[in-house]
């Protein structure tokens, strides 16, 4: 099933506001750069992802996307996570995608094998939505949408329940999955500590973020 990954990336200067008390701006920029790089490397290694689109107005993210064989869809206004993804879905439909996986740019320990695990189950033929929550259990870190426009994404506070409701309303089969490496997005100082702990537990992966953390913390 032709599957495209959509990675929205906000301009680095506005990114990670929830880390402003933990890191100075230049470190937040460096962290986003490293995390986006690690996410794109992981998606490129996923066997079941046929293409990657990065939706961004950030020139550095654009260059990273090009370096890792991803397409770039300009985002002139940074109107929001969901808005960026919506544009990516339309782009993916135009390129024949039958399914999309929505992945944020701030899940650096993403494991390609877990991405393939999310995409491996044979689709039932009808509309389907898989929700990957965040580690707090109320947000959404990733969505697998079959077809890509089965429902609009609605990221933000309490999005896990909202996405489940929207999927049911769309008549889609709803699944939930908790692949360990997709549960950890980095939004707060506490997430950063959890990331450091995770990087100590696992060998390999997230090479750019792993290399940067000691320099900025
Ligand atoms: N292209 C684009 N991506 C976005 C936008 N808002 C959020 N994103 C991306 O969506 C993903 C998840 O967003 P958040 O967790 O809210 O990241 P963030 O906005 O940097 O974090 P905060 O500033 O703390 O809210 C990240 O990859 C962001 O870069 C946007 O307006 N445009
Ligand atoms: C991360 C989420 O939303 P946002 O990207 O807008 O913070 C979420 O829906 O859990």
């Amino acid at each position: 099933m032709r599957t495209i990954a959509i990675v929205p990336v906000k301009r680095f200067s506005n990114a990670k506001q929830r880390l402003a008390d933990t890191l100075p701006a230049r470190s937040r920029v460096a962290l986003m750069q490293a995390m986006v790089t690690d996410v794109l490397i992981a998606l490129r290694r996923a066997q079941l992802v046929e293409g990657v689109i990065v939706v961004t107005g950030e020139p550095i993210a654009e260059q990273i996307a090009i370096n890792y064989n991803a397409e770039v869809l300009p985002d002139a206004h940074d109107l929001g996570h969901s808005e960026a993804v919506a544009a990516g879905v339309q782009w993916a439909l135009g390129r024949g995608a039958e399914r999309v996986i929505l992945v944020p740019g701030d899940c650096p320990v993403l494991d390609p094998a877990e991405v393939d695990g999310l995409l491996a189950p044979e689709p039932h033929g009808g509309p389907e939505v898989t929700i990957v929550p965040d580690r707090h259990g109320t947000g959404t870190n990733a969505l697998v949408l079959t077809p890509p426009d089965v429902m609009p994404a609605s990221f933000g506070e309490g999005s896990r329940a909202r996405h489940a409701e929207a999927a049911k309303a769309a008549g889609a089969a709803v699944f939930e999955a908790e692949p360990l490496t997709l549960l950890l997005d980095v939004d707060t100082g506490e997430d950063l500590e959890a990331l450091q702990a995770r990087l100590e537990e696992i060998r390999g992966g997230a090479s750019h973020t792993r290399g940067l953390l000691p320099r900025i913390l």
Side-chain angles (χ1 to χ4, degrees):
M1 174 173 270
R2 180 158 169 68
T3 304
I4 288 179
I6 300 173
V7 184
V9 181
K10 189 157 79 169
R11 281 173 178 72
F12 288 169
S13 56
N14 307 331
K16 297 300 143 203
Q17 297 308 311
R18 285 169 278 180
L19 279 174
D21 296 343
T22 309
L23 296 175
R26 68 180 179 286
S27 296
R28 295 202 301 276
V29 171
L31 179 62
M32 270 310 287
Q33 201 169 320
M35 294 199 295
V36 169
T37 302
D38 287 330
V39 167
L40 294 183
I41 289 172
L43 288 173
R44 192 172 65 163
R45 289 180 181 156
Q47 301 294 316
L48 299 179
V49 173
E50 295 187 23
V52 181
I53 173 79
V54 175
V55 185
T56 190
E58 170 54 53
I60 301 173
E62 187 175 337
Q63 192 51 55
I64 295 169
I66 293 165
N67 293 350
Y68 290 97
N69 306 332
E71 298 275 348
V72 176
L73 181 61
D75 177 358
H77 306 294
D78 270 354
L79 295 177
H81 185 173
S82 303
E83 290 76 2
V85 159
V89 164
Q90 291 310 313
W91 185 95
L93 284 168
R95 277 146 190 86
E98 298 166 278
R99 174 171 63 175
V100 293
I101 179 169
L102 311 183
V103 178
D106 53 9
C107 283
V109 293
L110 184 62
D111 176 349
E114 289 198 338
V115 174
D116 286 332
L118 275 177
L119 301 175
E122 257 319 293
H124 300 76
E128 292 185 14
V129 172
T130 299
I131 300 167
V132 176
D134 65 3
R135 67 191 188 95
H136 308 291
T138 54
T140 305
N141 271 3
L143 287 172
V144 180
L145 304 176
T146 311
D149 57 352
V150 61
M151 71 174 202
S154 170
F155 289 104
E157 201 69 33
S159 64
R160 177 181 186 172
R162 208 165 39 248
H163 285 140
E165 277 311 303
K168 288 192 187 88
V174 190
F175 304 94
E176 292 213 340
E178 299 196 3
L180 261 185
T181 63
L182 243 179
L183 291 180
L184 180 54
D185 62 325
V186 179
D187 285 325
T188 64
E190 194 200 356
D191 293 334
L192 214 41
E193 285 167 16
L195 172 66
Q196 285 179 284
R198 165 84 65 239
L199 290 176
E200 279 156 25
E201 284 167 12
I202 57 175
R203 295 172 51 80
S207 60
H208 292 75
T209 306
R210 198 186 285 275
L212 175 74
L213 285 187
R215 301 207 302 272
I216 62 172
L217 293 177

